Amino acid sequence: MSKPVYITADSTCDLTPALLERFHVKTIPLHIVLGEENYLDGVDFTQEMIYERYAKDKVLPRTAAVSPQEFTDFFTPLVEAGYEVVFLSISSGLSGTYQNAVIAAQDLPGVYPVDSLQLTTGMGEMVLAACEMRDEGKDAASIAQAMQDLIGRVNVSFVIDTLEYMWKGGRCTGVTAFGANLLNLKPCIEMRNGKLEVCKKYRGNIEKVYEKYIAERLKGKKVDPRYIFITTSNAPTPELAARLESAVRKAVPEAQEIFFTRTGCTVTSHCGPGTMGVLFLEA
């Protein structure tokens, strides 16, 4: 008889506390480093703190992976309690977190790290899919293999209001950022092979861009209707949230649950305020 399975992930899955509780998921936070100070993503450091610190001294934090010892301390109580563990990690193309989970898992029976090749609620989509398989009685090895097969169906993208944070973080040149702002360009980035790449550029008012982006992103796609995420780096106003949800439901009338979530510190520190994405599984 197979052991019960615990689904786990790192904090960059950006699932809300309510969703983590509803689906019985345990997460481990990445580190947020500012100068000599070390914080835990979503525990003692938030998106608002990134904005406040940047407004004050124009300094952005950097993220650091969870260490092998931290993973050992995280997995061991679950193994000792009789569980097998599936762990979903931020893309190995963006962090060393997956590699460190693999190191820790070598000394623990029944722990299965999975490189999601995604980030934020794209990884969250995989977490929810793993939870459904767990609830169907699948064992950890089967779930981990299914997650590998699911990667190609995850659709992750965002539109960005300003390139200032990317420029400050060394991810684009000052000339590029200045030109984008001058021309009122709003880049769209997407996950490709585990890394973020620019796929399109919009122009105009960001709220109008959001709606156009949603319509174009979902057009012609066969979307898994169970869970669709609208993930933002700022909490949208009720009016804007209603418009965004309406745009998704217009494109996917059969959508069942649409979740609004916030990007964690990792995505926020790269993309800045005004970032919004619609993330989903392709059926």
Side-chain angles (χ1 to χ4, degrees):
M1 185 174 179
S2 61
K3 293 182 178 181
V5 177
Y6 218 113
I7 304 300
T8 64
D10 68 58
S11 60
T12 63
C13 68
D14 292 343
L15 296 176
T16 64
L19 286 172
L20 294 175
E21 181 178 0
R22 170 181 164 183
F23 288 92
H24 307 291
V25 175
K26 188 177 180 67
T27 59
I28 185 169
L30 269 68
H31 293 269
I32 306 297
V33 182
L34 261 173
E36 300 300 317
E37 301 166 320
N38 193 316
Y39 303 94
L40 295 177
D41 182 14
V43 177
D44 53 8
F45 202 85
T46 64
Q47 302 97 324
E48 284 75 15
M49 293 171 70
I50 293 175
Y51 300 141
E52 290 168 5
R53 186 66 177 261
Y54 187 72
K56 179 182 177 183
D57 54 22
K58 298 300 181 184
V59 171
L60 288 175
R62 60 182 178 86
T63 55
V66 181
S67 71
Q69 184 59 54
E70 287 174 310
F71 273 121
T72 297
D73 296 341
F74 179 69
F75 293 140
T76 298
L78 298 176
V79 172
E80 291 180 345
Y83 289 98
E84 289 188 315
V85 180
V86 176
F87 172 74
L88 286 138
S89 146
I90 183 175
S91 172
S92 60
L94 302 174
S95 169
T97 295
Y98 169 71
Q99 288 86 348
N100 289 347
V102 170
I103 292 170
Q106 290 173 351
D107 298 322
L108 293 167
V111 177
Y112 297 83
V114 177
D115 180 1
S116 76
L117 293 178
Q118 309 296 337
L119 83 166
T120 190
T121 47
M123 189 166 81
E125 288 278 9
M126 296 178 67
V127 170
L128 300 192
C131 289
E132 289 191 341
M133 293 187 68
R134 172 203 63 198
D135 295 344
E136 292 167 358
K138 301 290 196 302
D139 62 37
S142 299
I143 296 172
Q145 181 57 56
M147 292 301 99
Q148 297 286 353
D149 299 337
L150 188 64
I151 290 171
R153 291 173 48 202
V154 183
N155 196 302
V156 172
S157 64
F158 291 92
V159 285
I160 301 174
D161 187 28
T162 173
L163 286 180
E164 183 176 359
Y165 276 54
M166 282 198 160
W167 163 60
K168 196 67 177 180
R171 296 173 185 87
C172 72
T173 67
V175 171
T176 299
F178 176 77
N181 290 338
L182 189 66
L183 296 172
N184 204 20
L185 295 178
K186 312 298 180 185
C188 177
I189 57 175
E190 67 179 7
M191 287 296 291
R192 294 178 181 169
N193 301 314
K195 294 186 179 181
L196 288 167
E197 298 183 15
V198 175
C199 62
K200 186 179 177 70
K201 294 176 183 177
Y202 292 92
R203 178 179 290 178
N205 174 273
I206 188 61
E207 293 191 4
K208 291 182 179 179
V209 166
Y210 290 156
E211 294 177 76
K212 184 177 182 181
Y213 150 78
I214 289 173
E216 292 186 354
R217 194 71 191 179
L218 295 171
K219 184 178 180 181
K221 298 286 197 313
K222 191 173 181 182
V223 177
D224 186 325
R226 290 172 297 173
Y227 312 118
I228 298 174
F229 286 91
I230 298 173
T231 301
T232 63
S233 61
N234 301 87
T237 64
E239 294 78 12
L240 177 58
R243 296 210 312 272
L244 298 179
E245 181 170 352
S246 176
V248 171
R249 292 197 180 278
K250 181 178 180 180
V252 188
E254 65 276 21
Q256 296 174 17
E257 293 192 85
I258 298 175
F259 301 122
F260 280 86
T261 61
R262 295 281 302 276
T263 58
C265 294
T266 300
V267 172
T268 300
S269 65
H270 292 179
C271 299
T275 298
M276 188 279 293
V278 57
L279 297 91
F280 55 94
L281 290 179
E282 296 186 37

